[in-house]
Amino acid sequence: MGCASSTAAVDGEIIEETCRMRKKDNRTHRGLRDKEVARACNQDFMGTMTFLTQVQLFKRLPLDQHPMLASAFTPSWFRAGQDVIKQGDIGHAFFVIRDGEAAVYVSNGTVPTQLVATLRAGDYFGEHALLRDEPRDATVRALTDLHTFKITREKFTELGLVEQIAFAKRKAIVSRCSTRSKEPSPKTAEDRELIGCALKENKNLNMVLGNLFAQMVLDNRFVQLIDVCWREVVPAGTDVMQEGALIADFFYIVAEGSFEMVKSCNGLDGSSSLVTVSRGGSFGEAALLCLVPQSATVTAKTDAVVWVVDRHNFKNILLQASVNKIKEYVKYLDQVDILSSLLLDEKKAVAEAFVELHFVRDETIFQEGEPGETFYVLYDGEVAISKNHKEKVRLEASTERHMVQFFGQGALLRNEVREVTVTVISEVVKALALDRQSFNLLLGPLDDILPRTPKTPMTPHRPKATLEVRHSHQRSRGRIIRSELTRIGRLGCGGVGAVGFGQH
């Protein structure tokens, strides 16, 4: 019996020790699992932070705020075909795409829902929800399985990001659907040949676009333009263009019938007929290119049929610029003071909207007293600026010397008549043009953009003596006072103290 008791005691000690060992092993395994989980969480956090800080929108944030930014965003997943946000809903969150693709759709009254943009990794949407209570202006739908990062308005405000992040204006996403275009009409081989010949024989296009015109033929842009044309019937007596009007939405090619172009005579009563445009002729291209006032009234002499292309397609197809050209145009914009507050994405959008124009000796780019609607960047050639028929200054630009000039920038800000006349005095002048309507469709009124930067006045004042002309090489580069710098972040610490960087 004593042996039995001793054996039982030993067995109990063995069982107790076994239990202690198992508990210790479990704690060890749990500790290992906890470390693995913590390590995975840290890796996810670092991955999130690295990704978000590479997004163009957040690149200006100081380095010490990157962890705070990453912790504020939460991951969200959507299946292909699922709506992330819906047009008309009140929004409370902002999204950045981590992986996948999404489509942006807009419906505008009676206009059918249209696809206006495709978003990919690094793109963002829903930013208006961070700033104000207003309905979503578009629907964003996942095209593939979509991984996003999301932040709510409350968190965005709590972290003080409102004052540190400037969102690019993206009015273009909504405005594209307001273009008064129609569905392309079916075309026979004869129709396509007629439209193609009319484009190639248009003298204004040949003259204004210069060498670019031949390139457009080679890379099939004319074929694209033919594809989007639609057919319209015009009754006799109908005015399709009015002299002096700034409404320039369409380019016309005559398929049947004829039109009369009439221009008022200066200083005389009545009107004089300029020309009759019949089958194969075309009109409306000059005002579409740079939004100058219509130079004549065009009236259908007989019942007629025309092929029509809208302003948006006309410019986007004919005047597509290469990636390298866009980068070059952005550099030009960096030298325009009135546009200094634009973000990089906005400058790219403006650069893509530029129209490249060529002018010849003695040609007038714009005339004193006419409505000012277009801004010009001169990048090659020389022009004379005159007022009251007296030359005031000459501007020369050169691609070889990387010297550009610009004039007419006030047209982007206000609707005033031109104060000067700009005339070509070199053999050829090459310039980029952007009208106020295109700028407003892309980014909204310039007045709304200027207040972003405290140093930029609401209504920039430029003395009349400057004749609304700016020389790119006349920038002031004086001493910068430390108190004028805005702190951006800290680069590190060394033996002599901390090293930071700031923005002037």
Side-chain angles (χ1 to χ4, degrees):
M1 190 169 178
C3 290
S5 297
S6 176
T7 302
V10 172
D11 290 344
E13 290 175 1
I14 293 173
I15 292 171
E16 187 176 341
E17 181 64 22
T18 302
C19 289
R20 281 198 300 270
M21 293 297 293
R22 286 178 177 174
K23 289 179 180 178
K24 184 177 179 180
D25 288 344
N26 288 338
R27 286 196 296 271
T28 301
H29 287 308
R30 281 200 300 271
L32 291 174
R33 285 197 299 270
D34 290 345
K35 288 181 180 179
E36 290 174 358
V37 170
R39 187 179 298 111
C41 289
N42 286 338
Q43 288 176 347
D44 286 345
F45 181 80
M46 291 301 296
T48 299
M49 184 169 66
T50 301
F51 169 74
L52 289 175
T53 53
Q54 292 304 309
V55 174
Q56 185 69 36
L57 179 66
F58 303 123
K59 284 187 175 180
R60 294 183 182 179
L61 279 180
L63 294 174
D64 57 2
Q65 295 191 25
H66 290 179
M68 175 189 68
L69 179 72
S71 63
F73 279 86
T74 57
S76 298
W77 288 267
F78 302 88
R79 293 186 180 277
Q82 185 177 356
D83 287 342
V84 183
I85 62 175
K86 292 184 178 181
Q87 184 174 351
D89 289 352
I90 300 297
H92 300 284
F94 163 72
F95 298 84
V96 180
I97 297 178
R98 178 67 178 89
D99 290 301
E101 292 188 0
V104 182
Y105 297 96
V106 172
S107 178
N108 186 13
T110 58
V111 179
T113 300
Q114 296 186 22
L115 172 66
V116 297
T118 301
L119 306 177
R120 299 177 178 83
D123 289 332
Y124 58 87
F125 57 92
E127 60 268 29
H128 291 171
L130 299 178
L131 307 175
R132 62 188 74 88
D133 279 316
E134 63 179 29
R136 301 282 195 188
D137 54 19
T139 294
V140 177
R141 184 172 302 148
L143 292 177
T144 64
D145 288 345
L146 194 67
H147 178 195
T148 70
F149 291 117
K150 177 178 75 173
I151 186 172
T152 63
R153 183 195 306 168
E154 291 73 20
K155 196 69 176 176
F156 188 81
T157 304
E158 176 187 326
L159 297 177
L161 295 174
V162 175
E163 292 79 21
Q164 301 183 59
I165 295 176
F167 291 104
K169 290 229 174 186
R170 296 195 291 182
K171 188 175 179 180
I173 287 182
V174 179
S175 67
R176 285 177 194 153
C177 66
S178 64
T179 304
R180 294 187 291 154
S181 59
K182 296 182 180 180
E183 288 297 317
S185 301
K187 303 170 187 71
T188 64
E190 183 182 358
D191 292 332
R192 300 183 71 87
E193 183 179 1
L194 172 76
I195 298 170
C197 289
L199 287 167
K200 294 172 186 177
E201 293 173 4
N202 186 291
K203 293 181 180 179
N204 281 335
L205 286 176
N206 271 282
M207 180 180 68
V208 172
L209 300 178
N211 295 333
L212 294 174
F213 197 78
Q215 183 61 41
M216 292 170 189
V217 177
L218 291 175
D219 60 17
N220 290 325
R221 272 182 268 179
F222 281 170
V223 174
Q224 298 175 47
L225 200 59
I226 292 169
D227 289 341
V228 299
C229 287
W230 69 86
R231 187 176 183 272
E232 280 193 3
V233 175
V234 183
T238 302
D239 290 343
V240 293
M241 286 171 46
Q242 287 282 349
E243 182 180 359
L246 283 173
I247 300 173
D249 291 330
F250 305 110
F251 172 65
Y252 301 90
I253 296 169
V254 182
E256 298 176 16
S258 61
F259 291 81
E260 186 175 49
M261 300 180 68
V262 177
K263 182 175 182 178
S264 301
C265 293
N266 294 328
L268 298 175
D269 293 333
S271 299
S272 62
S273 176
L274 293 182
V275 68
T276 296
V277 184
S278 54
R279 177 177 169 82
S282 57
F283 53 89
E285 70 289 339
L288 282 185
L289 286 170
C290 49
L291 202 64
V292 294
Q294 301 283 13
S295 60
T297 297
V298 181
T299 307
K301 291 179 64 178
T302 64
D303 290 341
V305 175
V306 292
W307 290 102
V308 188
V309 62
D310 62 284
R311 175 184 175 82
H312 176 75
N313 279 317
F314 185 86
K315 292 181 69 174
N316 279 15
I317 294 173
L318 275 190
L319 305 168
Q320 295 168 3
S322 67
V323 174
N324 290 335
K325 278 288 187 182
I326 295 301
K327 290 180 180 178
E328 184 180 340
Y329 295 170
V330 169
K331 290 180 181 178
Y332 297 160
L333 289 173
D334 288 339
Q335 301 180 55
V336 183
D337 291 343
I338 200 171
L339 302 179
S340 61
S341 62
L342 294 186
L343 303 176
L344 178 59
D345 287 346
E346 293 170 336
K347 287 182 179 178
K348 287 181 179 178
V350 172
E352 290 171 356
F354 268 134
V355 177
E356 188 166 339
L357 303 176
H358 294 187
F359 302 92
V360 296
R361 182 183 292 275
D362 297 327
E363 188 173 357
T364 298
I365 297 178
F366 60 70
Q367 183 78 39
E368 181 180 353
E370 71 180 22
E373 288 282 343
T374 305
F375 159 60
Y376 296 87
V377 176
L378 175 69
Y379 68 91
D380 200 26
E382 189 174 11
V383 298
I385 312 296
S386 60
K387 187 174 179 65
N388 297 326
H389 306 291
K390 295 181 180 179
E391 184 177 315
K392 298 294 184 180
V393 68
R394 293 188 174 190
L395 300 180
E396 183 183 6
S398 170
T399 53
E400 294 179 357
R401 287 177 284 168
H402 305 288
M403 183 173 66
V404 301
Q405 311 288 352
F406 47 90
F407 49 88
Q409 61 269 31
L412 297 181
L413 187 64
R414 55 191 177 271
N415 184 20
E416 295 181 357
V417 297
R418 299 291 192 186
E419 297 178 356
V420 297
T421 296
V422 180
T423 308
V424 177
I425 56 176
S426 58
E427 289 302 319
V428 176
V429 153
K430 298 178 182 179
L432 304 174
L434 179 70
D435 60 82
R436 184 167 67 247
Q437 182 184 35
S438 295
F439 187 92
N440 289 349
L441 285 175
L442 283 169
L443 302 177
L446 186 56
D447 270 335
D448 293 347
I449 297 172
L450 290 175
R452 285 181 182 167
T453 309
K455 295 178 184 179
T456 307
M458 280 291 291
T459 307
H461 172 69
R462 187 177 298 279
K464 291 193 181 230
T466 65
L467 302 175
E468 204 185 26
V469 174
R470 171 75 182 184
H471 299 259
S472 64
H473 57 277
Q474 291 181 348
R475 285 181 167 276
S476 173
R477 303 188 185 276
R479 178 181 297 180
I480 297 175
I481 309 301
R482 182 175 178 180
S483 60
E484 296 176 351
L485 296 176
T486 300
R487 181 180 179 275
I488 300 298
R490 175 177 293 183
L491 291 175
C493 296
V496 296
V499 179
F501 59 102
Q503 181 180 19
H504 185 256

PDB file of all heavy atoms in Angstrom, residues 302-316:
ATOM      1  N   THR A 302     -28.570  77.167-100.135  1.00  0.00           N
ATOM      2  CA  THR A 302     -29.553  76.176-100.573  1.00  0.00           C
ATOM      3  C   THR A 302     -29.723  75.172 -99.443  1.00  0.00           C
ATOM      4  O   THR A 302     -28.990  75.207 -98.442  1.00  0.00           O
ATOM      5  CB  THR A 302     -29.050  75.421-101.819  1.00  0.00           C
ATOM      6  OG1 THR A 302     -27.865  74.674-101.458  1.00  0.00           O
ATOM      7  CG2 THR A 302     -28.703  76.379-102.947  1.00  0.00           C
ATOM      8  N   ASP A 303     -30.690  74.298 -99.567  1.00  0.00           N
ATOM      9  CA  ASP A 303     -30.743  73.167 -98.639  1.00  0.00           C
ATOM     10  C   ASP A 303     -29.419  72.422 -98.756  1.00  0.00           C
ATOM     11  O   ASP A 303     -28.940  72.151 -99.871  1.00  0.00           O
ATOM     12  CB  ASP A 303     -31.906  72.237 -98.986  1.00  0.00           C
ATOM     13  CG  ASP A 303     -33.257  72.875 -98.681  1.00  0.00           C
ATOM     14  OD1 ASP A 303     -33.285  73.849 -97.896  1.00  0.00           O
ATOM     15  OD2 ASP A 303     -34.270  72.407 -99.231  1.00  0.00           O
ATOM     16  N   ALA A 304     -28.832  72.102 -97.620  1.00  0.00           N
ATOM     17  CA  ALA A 304     -27.474  71.546 -97.652  1.00  0.00           C
ATOM     18  C   ALA A 304     -27.337  70.397 -96.667  1.00  0.00           C
ATOM     19  O   ALA A 304     -28.151  70.222 -95.749  1.00  0.00           O
ATOM     20  CB  ALA A 304     -26.450  72.637 -97.334  1.00  0.00           C
ATOM     21  N   VAL A 305     -26.274  69.629 -96.894  1.00  0.00           N
ATOM     22  CA  VAL A 305     -25.887  68.553 -95.975  1.00  0.00           C
ATOM     23  C   VAL A 305     -24.415  68.765 -95.620  1.00  0.00           C
ATOM     24  O   VAL A 305     -23.590  69.033 -96.497  1.00  0.00           O
ATOM     25  CB  VAL A 305     -26.079  67.155 -96.600  1.00  0.00           C
ATOM     26  CG1 VAL A 305     -25.546  66.070 -95.659  1.00  0.00           C
ATOM     27  CG2 VAL A 305     -27.546  66.917 -96.925  1.00  0.00           C
ATOM     28  N   VAL A 306     -24.103  68.669 -94.312  1.00  0.00           N
ATOM     29  CA  VAL A 306     -22.716  68.859 -93.872  1.00  0.00           C
ATOM     30  C   VAL A 306     -22.290  67.691 -92.986  1.00  0.00           C
ATOM     31  O   VAL A 306     -23.109  67.018 -92.366  1.00  0.00           O
ATOM     32  CB  VAL A 306     -22.545  70.174 -93.079  1.00  0.00           C
ATOM     33  CG1 VAL A 306     -22.732  71.373 -93.983  1.00  0.00           C
ATOM     34  CG2 VAL A 306     -23.500  70.228 -91.897  1.00  0.00           C
ATOM     35  N   TRP A 307     -20.979  67.462 -92.986  1.00  0.00           N
ATOM     36  CA  TRP A 307     -20.365  66.583 -91.999  1.00  0.00           C
ATOM     37  C   TRP A 307     -19.804  67.470 -90.899  1.00  0.00           C
ATOM     38  O   TRP A 307     -19.174  68.487 -91.180  1.00  0.00           O
ATOM     39  CB  TRP A 307     -19.254  65.743 -92.618  1.00  0.00           C
ATOM     40  CG  TRP A 307     -19.765  64.703 -93.571  1.00  0.00           C
ATOM     41  CD1 TRP A 307     -19.751  64.744 -94.928  1.00  0.00           C
ATOM     42  CD2 TRP A 307     -20.372  63.468 -93.207  1.00  0.00           C
ATOM     43  NE1 TRP A 307     -20.314  63.610 -95.456  1.00  0.00           N
ATOM     44  CE2 TRP A 307     -20.705  62.796 -94.411  1.00  0.00           C
ATOM     45  CE3 TRP A 307     -20.680  62.841 -91.992  1.00  0.00           C
ATOM     46  CZ2 TRP A 307     -21.342  61.554 -94.425  1.00  0.00           C
ATOM     47  CZ3 TRP A 307     -21.295  61.607 -92.006  1.00  0.00           C
ATOM     48  CH2 TRP A 307     -21.610  60.970 -93.211  1.00  0.00           C
ATOM     49  N   VAL A 308     -20.063  67.104 -89.637  1.00  0.00           N
ATOM     50  CA  VAL A 308     -19.723  67.965 -88.505  1.00  0.00           C
ATOM     51  C   VAL A 308     -18.829  67.208 -87.522  1.00  0.00           C
ATOM     52  O   VAL A 308     -19.032  66.016 -87.277  1.00  0.00           O
ATOM     53  CB  VAL A 308     -20.996  68.433 -87.765  1.00  0.00           C
ATOM     54  CG1 VAL A 308     -20.647  69.477 -86.711  1.00  0.00           C
ATOM     55  CG2 VAL A 308     -22.027  68.969 -88.743  1.00  0.00           C
ATOM     56  N   VAL A 309     -17.851  67.926 -86.973  1.00  0.00           N
ATOM     57  CA  VAL A 309     -17.056  67.379 -85.873  1.00  0.00           C
ATOM     58  C   VAL A 309     -17.005  68.439 -84.782  1.00  0.00           C
ATOM     59  O   VAL A 309     -16.930  69.639 -85.065  1.00  0.00           O
ATOM     60  CB  VAL A 309     -15.633  66.982 -86.327  1.00  0.00           C
ATOM     61  CG1 VAL A 309     -14.856  68.181 -86.824  1.00  0.00           C
ATOM     62  CG2 VAL A 309     -14.871  66.292 -85.202  1.00  0.00           C
ATOM     63  N   ASP A 310     -17.111  68.012 -83.514  1.00  0.00           N
ATOM     64  CA  ASP A 310     -17.167  68.958 -82.405  1.00  0.00           C
ATOM     65  C   ASP A 310     -15.775  69.407 -81.984  1.00  0.00           C
ATOM     66  O   ASP A 310     -14.763  68.799 -82.327  1.00  0.00           O
ATOM     67  CB  ASP A 310     -17.890  68.335 -81.206  1.00  0.00           C
ATOM     68  CG  ASP A 310     -17.155  67.122 -80.678  1.00  0.00           C
ATOM     69  OD1 ASP A 310     -17.246  66.051 -81.316  1.00  0.00           O
ATOM     70  OD2 ASP A 310     -16.473  67.237 -79.654  1.00  0.00           O
ATOM     71  N   ARG A 311     -15.736  70.471 -81.224  1.00  0.00           N
ATOM     72  CA  ARG A 311     -14.492  71.104 -80.787  1.00  0.00           C
ATOM     73  C   ARG A 311     -13.598  70.127 -80.016  1.00  0.00           C
ATOM     74  O   ARG A 311     -12.390  70.061 -80.239  1.00  0.00           O
ATOM     75  CB  ARG A 311     -14.839  72.313 -79.908  1.00  0.00           C
ATOM     76  CG  ARG A 311     -13.654  73.009 -79.267  1.00  0.00           C
ATOM     77  CD  ARG A 311     -14.167  74.129 -78.354  1.00  0.00           C
ATOM     78  NE  ARG A 311     -13.085  74.754 -77.634  1.00  0.00           N
ATOM     79  CZ  ARG A 311     -12.306  75.703 -78.139  1.00  0.00           C
ATOM     80  NH1 ARG A 311     -12.501  76.114 -79.372  1.00  0.00           N
ATOM     81  NH2 ARG A 311     -11.350  76.232 -77.421  1.00  0.00           N
ATOM     82  N   HIS A 312     -14.188  69.361 -79.092  1.00  0.00           N
ATOM     83  CA  HIS A 312     -13.396  68.455 -78.251  1.00  0.00           C
ATOM     84  C   HIS A 312     -12.668  67.422 -79.104  1.00  0.00           C
ATOM     85  O   HIS A 312     -11.455  67.226 -78.971  1.00  0.00           O
ATOM     86  CB  HIS A 312     -14.312  67.765 -77.229  1.00  0.00           C
ATOM     87  CG  HIS A 312     -13.620  66.756 -76.380  1.00  0.00           C
ATOM     88  ND1 HIS A 312     -12.787  67.097 -75.348  1.00  0.00           N
ATOM     89  CD2 HIS A 312     -13.633  65.401 -76.422  1.00  0.00           C
ATOM     90  CE1 HIS A 312     -12.302  66.008 -74.785  1.00  0.00           C
ATOM     91  NE2 HIS A 312     -12.803  64.960 -75.413  1.00  0.00           N
ATOM     92  N   ASN A 313     -13.383  66.756 -79.984  1.00  0.00           N
ATOM     93  CA  ASN A 313     -12.758  65.739 -80.836  1.00  0.00           C
ATOM     94  C   ASN A 313     -11.784  66.374 -81.828  1.00  0.00           C
ATOM     95  O   ASN A 313     -10.719  65.816 -82.111  1.00  0.00           O
ATOM     96  CB  ASN A 313     -13.824  64.948 -81.589  1.00  0.00           C
ATOM     97  CG  ASN A 313     -14.435  63.863 -80.730  1.00  0.00           C
ATOM     98  OD1 ASN A 313     -13.736  63.150 -80.017  1.00  0.00           O
ATOM     99  ND2 ASN A 313     -15.755  63.732 -80.782  1.00  0.00           N
ATOM    100  N   PHE A 314     -12.162  67.520 -82.368  1.00  0.00           N
ATOM    101  CA  PHE A 314     -11.311  68.199 -83.352  1.00  0.00           C
ATOM    102  C   PHE A 314      -9.918  68.468 -82.771  1.00  0.00           C
ATOM    103  O   PHE A 314      -8.896  68.171 -83.385  1.00  0.00           O
ATOM    104  CB  PHE A 314     -11.978  69.506 -83.772  1.00  0.00           C
ATOM    105  CG  PHE A 314     -11.264  70.254 -84.872  1.00  0.00           C
ATOM    106  CD1 PHE A 314     -11.514  69.952 -86.198  1.00  0.00           C
ATOM    107  CD2 PHE A 314     -10.359  71.257 -84.579  1.00  0.00           C
ATOM    108  CE1 PHE A 314     -10.866  70.643 -87.225  1.00  0.00           C
ATOM    109  CE2 PHE A 314      -9.718  71.956 -85.585  1.00  0.00           C
ATOM    110  CZ  PHE A 314      -9.976  71.637 -86.914  1.00  0.00           C
ATOM    111  N   LYS A 315      -9.889  69.023 -81.552  1.00  0.00           N
ATOM    112  CA  LYS A 315      -8.614  69.359 -80.944  1.00  0.00           C
ATOM    113  C   LYS A 315      -7.888  68.122 -80.425  1.00  0.00           C
ATOM    114  O   LYS A 315      -6.685  67.951 -80.610  1.00  0.00           O
ATOM    115  CB  LYS A 315      -8.821  70.355 -79.799  1.00  0.00           C
ATOM    116  CG  LYS A 315      -9.291  71.728 -80.270  1.00  0.00           C
ATOM    117  CD  LYS A 315      -9.464  72.688 -79.123  1.00  0.00           C
ATOM    118  CE  LYS A 315      -8.154  73.068 -78.502  1.00  0.00           C
ATOM    119  NZ  LYS A 315      -8.296  74.123 -77.474  1.00  0.00           N
ATOM    120  N   ASN A 316      -8.617  67.236 -79.764  1.00  0.00           N
ATOM    121  CA  ASN A 316      -7.962  66.073 -79.148  1.00  0.00           C
ATOM    122  C   ASN A 316      -7.359  65.123 -80.172  1.00  0.00           C
ATOM    123  O   ASN A 316      -6.318  64.522 -79.938  1.00  0.00           O
ATOM    124  CB  ASN A 316      -8.963  65.317 -78.268  1.00  0.00           C
ATOM    125  CG  ASN A 316      -9.114  65.964 -76.909  1.00  0.00           C
ATOM    126  OD1 ASN A 316      -8.707  67.102 -76.714  1.00  0.00           O
ATOM    127  ND2 ASN A 316      -9.694  65.250 -75.971  1.00  0.00           N
TER     128      ASN A 316
END
